[in-house]
């Protein structure tokens, strides 16, 4: 019988393949409208105000009961800091990147850490660590393939991913873009760890089999993800890897990156994924929309199904939807706790 753990101890035990008192419940992005309003934060200020950000994201821990506190709110910080156009969305729509560079030489990142949105993330990490030392403070970052896609344009990434598998000249173009993305990844990762992040959560949405071929993932994406992962480990920090879509064809590659945890979405058969991943913890695949319109029975059923399939933590298949309700989030957390009481 494992003694009661703090949230941070619970998440770290899961990442280190050790026993837990109950399975952790964790999440990726957490821009939840109800919590934004409850915390008194205001759009768009909460994206560039560390205190507003922490007041909002911490409610996922203190009110809903999740074990991690995640920041920032979306996958636009890196692009914004590099000068790309970003549409800021609204209180229930996350910001999105709307422009791209024509060639890698155009990307200037010498002053990356001076950007106000980057600084807000770093300040929020420091503040969350100070206010919630028992939670697993997690930085939500854009992984190298997705960042390269933001830099060159997502459609160009898809086309170049096919061409580079056929011609060495095109492969060199791809490597040039990814090399820039990795340099930015490393600058940001080091700053997040120095600010006190317990875990780095990398979303590589554009490495999905829905957008690029599995062959591209194994030849190009795995080495890039492994390089940033090794760098993060060198800094003494664990990291998680999320990729969208049905990732079963690339789970073996994801596991080979050295990630401490693999996050998958609801399209993935959890039992099949955990079998392929071996001893690398797999989490996720609870349908995010259930946090908006799911019934109590549906939330309990999906939570238990994922854990029965071998998931080492309960997690939504992607970020927490902005229109999630606190009642449904609490139902999800309770479902994981009840499963733990029955099965651990």
């Amino acid at each position: 019988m494992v003694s009661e753990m703090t949230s941070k101890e619970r998440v770290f035990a899961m990442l280190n393949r050790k026993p837990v008192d109950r399975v952790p419940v964790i999440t990726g992005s957490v821009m939840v409208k109800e919590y934004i309003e409850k915390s008194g934060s205001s759009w768009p200020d909460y994206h560039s105000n560390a205190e507003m950000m922490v007041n909002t994201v911490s409610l996922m821990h203190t009110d809903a009961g999740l074990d991690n506190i995640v920041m920032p709110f979306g996958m636009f910080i890196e692009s914004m800091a590099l000068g790309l156009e970003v549409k800021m969305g609204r209180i229930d729509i996350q910001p999105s990147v709307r422009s791209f560079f024509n060639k890698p030489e155009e990307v200037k990142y010498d002053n990356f850490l001076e950007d106000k949105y980057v600084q807000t993330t770093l300040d929020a990490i420091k503040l969350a660590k100070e206010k919630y030392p028992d939670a697993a403070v997690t930085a939500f970052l854009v992984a190298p393939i997705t960042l390269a896609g933001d830099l060159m344009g997502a459609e160009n990434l898809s086309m170049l991913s096919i061409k580079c598998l056929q011609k060495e000249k095109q492969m060199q173009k791809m490597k040039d873009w990814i090399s820039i993305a990795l340099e930015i990844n490393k600058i940001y990762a080091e700053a997040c760890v120095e600010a006190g992040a317990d875990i780095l959560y990398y979303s590589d949405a554009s490495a999905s089999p829905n957008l690029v071929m599995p062959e591209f993932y194994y030849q190009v994406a795995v080495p890039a993800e492994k390089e940033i992962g090794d760098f993060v480990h060198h800094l003494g920090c664990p990291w998680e890897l999320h990729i969208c879509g049905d990732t079963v064809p690339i789970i073996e590659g994801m596991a080979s990156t050295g990630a401490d945890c693999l996050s998958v979405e609801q399209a993935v058969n959890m039992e099949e994924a955990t079998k392929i991943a071996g001893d690398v913890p797999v989490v996720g695949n609870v349908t995010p929309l259930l946090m908006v319109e799911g019934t109590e029975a549906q939330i309990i059923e999906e939570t238990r199904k994922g854990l029965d399939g071998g998931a080492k933590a309960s997690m939504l298949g992607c970020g927490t939807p902005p229109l999630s309700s606190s009642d449904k989030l609490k139902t999800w957390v309770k479902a994981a706790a009840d499963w733990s009481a029955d099965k651990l």
Side-chain angles (χ1 to χ4, degrees), residues 115-160:
D115 176 78
K116 72 173 182 178
Y117 292 95
V118 173
Q119 276 299 318
T120 298
T121 302
L122 301 177
D123 290 343
I125 290 170
K126 293 175 187 174
L127 185 58
K129 284 282 287 187
E130 180 182 322
K131 295 180 70 173
Y132 306 102
D134 290 338
V137 175
T138 304
F140 175 46
L141 306 171
V142 180
I145 301 304
T146 303
L147 182 54
D150 288 342
L151 299 179
M152 73 173 82
E155 290 185 5
N156 293 326
L157 169 69
S158 185
M159 288 189 289
L160 189 57

Side-chain angles (χ1 to χ4, degrees), residues 254-321:
M254 291 173 68
S256 74
T257 63
D260 297 283
C261 174
L262 308 181
S263 164
V264 299
E265 73 159 57
Q266 60 274 16
V268 173
N269 181 303
M270 182 57 78
E271 191 169 356
E272 188 176 5
T274 56
K275 185 176 180 180
I276 297 170
D279 70 343
V280 181
V282 181
V283 303
N285 102 330
V286 176
T287 302
L289 196 58
L290 290 177
M291 299 303 116
V292 180
E293 56 187 34
T295 65
E296 180 178 354
Q298 289 172 325
I299 294 170
I300 293 171
E301 181 184 358
E302 278 227 17
T303 302
R304 297 186 73 93
K305 183 180 178 182
L307 297 174
D308 286 340
K312 298 303 182 185
S314 193
M315 186 173 185
L316 302 182
C318 199
T320 312

Side-chain angles (χ1 to χ4, degrees), residues 130-254:
E130 180 182 322
K131 295 180 70 173
Y132 306 102
D134 290 338
V137 175
T138 304
F140 175 46
L141 306 171
V142 180
I145 301 304
T146 303
L147 182 54
D150 288 342
L151 299 179
M152 73 173 82
E155 290 185 5
N156 293 326
L157 169 69
S158 185
M159 288 189 289
L160 189 57
S161 70
I162 296 172
K163 292 178 180 177
C164 77
L165 296 176
Q166 301 166 341
K167 294 182 179 180
E168 186 57 34
K169 183 178 179 181
Q170 300 299 326
M171 179 63 85
Q172 188 55 52
K173 286 185 180 179
M174 178 62 76
K175 288 180 177 176
D176 290 344
W177 282 108
I178 292 176
S179 176
I180 295 287
L182 281 167
E183 288 301 312
I184 297 162
N185 281 153
K186 290 175 183 177
I187 291 170
Y188 201 10
E190 187 165 20
C192 288
V193 173
E194 288 179 354
D198 295 313
I199 301 163
L200 302 191
Y201 174 82
Y202 277 103
S203 176
D204 219 353
S206 295
S208 168
N210 292 358
L211 294 175
V212 297
M213 297 170 63
E215 185 181 359
F216 172 82
Y217 182 75
Y218 279 92
Q219 284 193 36
V220 181
V222 169
E225 291 168 351
K226 188 175 188 309
E227 182 172 333
I228 186 59
D230 287 349
F231 181 79
V232 174
H233 279 162
H234 175 71
L235 297 172
C237 186
W239 68 289
E240 303 169 356
L241 174 62
H242 172 81
I243 298 181
C244 300
D246 183 358
T247 47
V248 168
I250 61 171
I251 287 288
E252 186 176 359
M254 291 173 68

Side-chain angles (χ1 to χ4, degrees), residues 76-94:
F76 71 98
I77 304 295
E78 292 89 337
S79 296
M80 179 74 92
L82 296 169
L84 289 173
E85 179 188 352
V86 173
K87 186 173 183 179
M88 290 307 290
R90 61 188 195 197
I91 190 170
D92 57 349
I93 297 179
Q94 292 185 355

